[in-house]
Amino acid sequence: MSGSPVPAFGWMGIIRLGLIQTSLGAIVILMTSTLNRVMVVELGLAAAIPGLLVGWHYAVQMSRPRWGYGADAGGRRAPWILGGIVVLAIGGLLAAFAVSLMPNAFWAGLVLSVIAYALIGAGVGAAGTNLLALLAIRTPPARKAAAAAIVWIMMIMGFVLTAAIGGSFLSPFSFERLMTVTAVVAAIAIMVSALALWGIEPKTAAASETTKSSDDGTAFREALRETWGDPQARRFTIFVFVSMLAYSAQDLILEPFAGLVHGYDAGASTQLAGVQNMGTLIGMILTAVIATAVGQSRAGFMRLWTVGGCIASAVALLSLGLGTHALGTNWPLVPNVVALGIANGAFAVAAIGSMMTLASAGPKNREGTRMGLWGASQAIAFGLGGFLGAALVDIARLLIGEPAPAFALVFALEGLTFLAAAALALRVGRTEADSLRLPVLPSSEFLAVRNGEAT
């Protein structure tokens, strides 16, 4: 192995990658929120149509292991990240164009939408997987929780900025304005991502010796089989699926719960969702600060924090349903939702931090494949979670009749799912070795992490 040492990421390096997450989030929110509203409100389509398109983009993300493996084999991740952002931007533009076709050519617009959302899923998968893999490899152990919080928060910033600024330019609405706003957001996202990636990796890198021999899919299948055969990687994959299923199942039912059971109007229920998101940010920041302060010197810290976040989320969900069922509108809904947000935020950052740690603690030249496997598991869970949560509420209301006990039952099931995730997290082995070293990069690159060296 040859080549000069590559310094570990300092805070500026982490923030640079966070800017890419901001760019990714800016495009995604237009596709999953704005276009959803346009199809349902302006075009009067059934809500199932945009719902299925969003689900399709999650399904396409099952390809994440392939994108991670491609970067493992090539030895560089920046081209895959930027390429993913470009594909995402193209998909976004095509999706906006497809929606503008629907008033006069519905089926042509729908077919184009299916293609567009496939590109969106592929772009998110390629960019997101390799961004987290790069963070996993180049971030010192003591900073991984903070890195997870930073990139997640900066992605949420992309949501917020695009919703606020882009939304103002969409009024009064027209399809021409929709295309213009989408094109501007896509162009800015590509430029910001390109600048953030400039010089972040060496210009040349050799392909991994373990993967460069085959390009016909055989080597990829072997890499995926090897990753799934690792008991720790397999347990963590199952944990990611179960925990993210519980995490996402509450998304589509919290606001209806506030309206049907607590009598909140549309504005108040939307504000309640904002309160939950604020709690999530608090939980993320709190976890990142504590983990950065003490995580390096305590083996298994992130694993224990993940378990604690799952248990706290379960308690908050059980309290939400059972407390309301017992006390009705006298139950303190807002504090309960804030507590749920904080618990969710703590769990999310700890889980992503653990994901980054485990990715870099496994066999070298497989970081992207491992991260891709976990990303695919998360995407499947997100695609199923919202649908299952809403469907279970509908079934429970049909069987029980009253909304309060129906929601209480579903929240209890979600809480039990979080407890199952906590039990799974306890089975994921410790990674003390990762607290003592930063694993080598693919190909000829390697890291030398010593006190004061990170920049």
Side-chain angles (χ1 to χ4, degrees):
M1 182 176 292
S2 60
S4 58
V6 179
F9 280 148
W11 296 118
M12 282 307 300
I14 294 169
I15 290 172
R16 285 171 65 182
L17 291 189
L19 286 171
I20 301 171
Q21 284 287 78
T22 302
S23 302
L24 186 151
I27 300 176
V28 167
I29 194 65
L30 285 176
M31 303 306 104
T32 59
S33 180
T34 304
L35 290 189
N36 175 78
R37 183 229 145 80
V38 170
M39 282 187 263
V40 174
V41 178
E42 274 73 21
L43 297 181
L45 301 178
I49 293 176
L52 288 172
L53 289 171
V54 171
W56 168 234
H57 113 283
Y58 279 123
V60 171
Q61 290 184 53
M62 291 177 65
S63 62
R64 276 176 176 259
R66 189 64 180 85
W67 309 129
Y69 167 81
D72 289 343
R76 296 189 65 210
R77 305 195 184 277
W80 290 85
I81 296 170
L82 184 58
I85 293 294
V86 171
V87 170
L88 172 60
I90 293 171
L93 284 169
L94 186 59
F97 176 68
V99 169
S100 70
L101 284 181
M102 287 183 177
N104 299 315
F106 173 76
W107 290 108
L110 184 61
V111 170
L112 278 179
S113 293
V114 172
I115 297 171
Y117 277 81
L119 291 174
I120 292 167
V124 170
T129 297
N130 285 296
L131 186 148
L132 288 177
L134 183 58
L135 272 176
I137 297 167
R138 296 278 297 274
T139 303
R143 291 180 179 171
K144 286 187 176 180
I150 288 170
V151 297
W152 194 307
I153 290 170
M154 292 185 74
M155 182 172 68
I156 294 174
M157 285 176 55
F159 295 164
V160 173
L161 290 174
T162 305
I165 300 174
S168 66
F169 283 103
L170 282 173
S171 181
F173 176 81
S174 69
F175 289 109
E176 291 76 14
R177 283 177 178 267
L178 177 64
M179 286 295 300
T180 300
V181 169
T182 304
V184 170
V185 171
I188 292 174
I190 292 173
M191 287 189 292
V192 169
S193 299
L195 290 172
L197 288 168
W198 185 270
I200 209 163
E201 280 187 314
K203 292 183 179 179
T204 59
S208 163
E209 293 294 331
T210 61
T211 58
K212 68 181 180 180
S213 60
S214 174
D215 193 37
D216 62 0
T218 303
F220 166 65
R221 288 192 294 271
E222 179 60 31
L224 191 59
R225 188 180 304 113
E226 174 188 302
T227 301
W228 183 254
D230 179 350
Q232 183 163 280
R234 185 170 60 251
R235 291 190 197 106
F236 195 73
T237 303
I238 298 170
F239 159 75
V240 168
F241 176 80
V242 174
S243 61
M244 291 301 174
L245 190 69
Y247 183 86
S248 60
Q250 60 189 282
D251 284 350
L252 298 182
I253 65 174
L254 182 61
E255 289 190 52
F257 168 72
L260 291 171
V261 178
H262 285 266
Y264 280 36
D265 60 21
S269 64
T270 301
Q271 290 175 344
L272 184 68
V275 167
Q276 183 189 20
N277 289 331
M278 183 60 66
T280 301
L281 289 177
I282 292 172
M284 289 178 175
I285 295 169
L286 180 65
T287 304
V289 170
I290 295 175
T292 302
V294 304
Q296 188 174 22
S297 61
R298 292 183 58 185
F301 176 86
M302 293 305 295
R303 183 170 66 99
L304 294 176
W305 203 259
T306 301
V307 172
C310 286
I311 294 174
S313 296
V315 171
L317 283 166
L318 289 167
S319 299
L320 193 62
L322 298 179
T324 297
H325 182 55
L327 300 180
T329 56
N330 291 323
W331 182 255
L333 180 60
V334 172
N336 196 155
V337 169
V338 171
L340 176 61
I342 292 173
N344 283 174
F347 146 73
V349 166
I352 297 174
S354 297
M355 189 183 296
M356 290 165 58
T357 298
L358 289 170
S360 59
K364 66 179 185 295
N365 304 321
R366 290 286 184 265
E367 295 89 353
T369 306
R370 292 162 73 90
M371 193 66 75
L373 179 63
W374 300 329
S377 179
Q378 176 179 311
I380 296 169
F382 266 61
L384 286 175
F387 169 76
L388 287 177
L392 286 172
V393 165
D394 288 340
I395 294 171
R397 289 185 66 192
L398 184 63
L399 295 176
I400 299 173
E402 294 297 323
F407 278 100
L409 175 61
V410 176
F411 284 137
L413 290 174
E414 292 175 8
L416 291 174
T417 306
F418 261 123
L419 291 178
L424 289 168
L426 284 171
R427 298 187 61 200
V428 178
R430 296 178 183 273
T431 55
E432 292 91 341
D434 192 60
S435 66
L436 302 176
R437 63 177 177 84
L438 194 58
V440 296
L441 285 164
S443 73
S444 61
E445 305 169 30
F446 64 94
L447 301 176
V449 180
R450 295 187 295 270
N451 289 337
E453 188 179 58
T455 59

